[in-house]
Amino acid sequence: MPNEWVGGILAFGLGVCLAAASYAFARFVLKKHPQRYLSAQVVRQLVTILFVVALFALGEYTPWGRKPLLVGGVLGVTLPMIWFTYRLVRLNEEWYGKGGPKNG
C-alpha cells in the first residue's frame, strides 16, 4: 500500500508541473497573441488528455499500477488549474477590461 502512495505522489507532481506549464503557455498567448487564445486552449486540453492517456497506458508497466497514477495525475492537473484559471480571468480583466466590448 505505501508503495502505491509513491506512484500517486509522483504522478501528482507531474500533473502540477503540467498545469503550471499550461498556465504559463496560456498567459503568454493571452499577452502576446490574444486572438489565438481559443486555439491555445485546444492545444492545452489535448496535452492534458495525452498526459492522462499516457498514465493509463504506461501504468501497468510501473511498480505502482494504473489506479494510483491516474488518481494522482488527474488531481495534479485539476487542483492547480482552479487557481490558474482564476489568475487568467483576473489577468484578462486587467489587460482588456471587464466585460469586453459593448453591443448596442
Side-chain angles (χ1 to χ4, degrees), residues 44-80:
R44 290 174 59 201
Q45 191 67 32
L46 286 174
V47 170
T48 301
I49 291 169
L50 287 174
F51 173 69
V52 173
V53 168
L55 287 176
F56 179 79
L58 300 174
E60 74 178 58
Y61 301 109
T62 66
W64 308 296
R66 286 183 176 152
K67 192 184 305 182
L69 291 179
L70 285 172
V71 170
V74 169
L75 287 175
V77 170
T78 306
L79 294 178

Side-chain angles (χ1 to χ4, degrees), residues 2-3 5 14 19 25 30 34 49 61 65 70 72 78-79 83 87 91-92 94 101:
N3 194 23
W5 283 92
L14 285 174
F25 175 67
L30 190 60
I49 291 169
Y61 301 109
L70 285 172
T78 306
L79 294 178
W83 171 249
R87 299 267 311 170
L91 282 173
N92 189 40
E94 287 175 11

Side-chain angles (χ1 to χ4, degrees), residues 86 88-103:
Y86 168 75
L88 284 173
V89 168
R90 211 169 79 189
L91 282 173
N92 189 40
E93 288 175 355
E94 287 175 11
W95 290 340
Y96 302 107
K98 194 170 190 170
K102 303 287 184 206
N103 289 333

